Amino acid sequence: LHVVLYEPQIPQNTGNIARLCAGTGVDLHLVGQLGFSLSDRYLKRAGLDYWPHVKLHLHDSLEEVLSLTSPENVAFYSTHATQSYDAFNPPGDPFFVFGRETSGLPDALHTKDADRFYTIPTTEHIRSLNLANSVAIVVYEGLRKKGFQFEE
């Protein structure tokens, strides 16, 4: 499994997601311009001492990371999607792609790949869930579908 964060902006979210990836054997891909330094103390603090166990990959562009797999293995997540996150069933190793905390994924992706967008249902009382919480929900659904077989 692969978690892809497109231009994440909040170091604490990325640190929490890194900790999740370390604990589940999921690869973490950070894409584009980050809203923080990888040496940021808040990032390190949120990831605790688990950073040596994170399979971290840095990419300049979303195209670069998406070239690592075929389109049917990629799911994009957005509050504007209509398909539920649990409907994603890729034939191969899944890539779960999440956008910026403030603005999500680029509009061009929504237009080009609308059929590959998924959402996590919530009530109308909030705009969205926290990014780290959303990633955890999606990762554990992916792991459940694979029988909780963790990769090292």
Side-chain angles (χ1 to χ4, degrees):
L1 280 70
H2 300 262
V3 167
V4 179
L5 302 181
Y6 174 75
E7 298 185 352
Q9 299 169 306
I10 301 172
Q12 294 90 334
N13 280 337
T14 302
N16 284 324
I17 292 165
R19 183 177 182 175
L20 171 75
C21 290
T24 56
V26 172
D27 286 48
L28 176 59
H29 302 261
L30 302 180
V31 179
Q33 187 172 352
L34 309 179
F36 49 85
S37 164
L38 288 177
S39 63
D40 187 291
R41 69 184 178 111
Y42 296 109
L43 177 74
K44 297 293 184 189
R45 184 173 168 189
L48 297 175
D49 56 343
Y50 302 112
W51 281 101
H53 306 288
V54 177
K55 295 182 277 184
L56 181 63
H57 312 273
L58 302 175
H59 304 276
D60 291 328
S61 69
L62 201 49
E63 293 76 23
E64 182 182 317
V65 71
L66 295 179
S67 72
L68 300 174
T69 190
S70 54
E72 64 268 11
N73 295 323
V74 177
F76 301 105
Y77 295 89
S78 169
T79 58
H80 305 293
T82 56
Q83 297 182 86
S84 178
Y85 72 97
D86 59 341
F88 180 55
N89 248 334
D93 208 15
F95 280 68
F96 307 122
V97 183
F98 295 85
R100 286 187 203 147
E101 289 93 338
T102 56
S103 57
L105 291 163
D107 290 338
L109 262 182
H110 285 274
T111 304
K112 179 179 164 260
D113 293 307
D115 61 324
R116 292 193 291 143
F117 270 79
Y118 298 86
T119 192
I120 298 169
T122 62
T123 68
E124 71 274 359
H125 303 296
I126 61 170
R127 285 183 304 282
S128 64
L129 295 173
N130 171 276
L131 178 62
N133 291 336
S134 297
V135 171
I137 290 168
V138 169
V139 163
Y140 270 92
E141 175 63 12
L143 287 168
R144 184 192 67 78
K145 288 178 178 175
K146 291 185 169 282
F148 293 101
Q149 296 175 0
F150 297 102
E151 295 178 21
E152 289 298 322

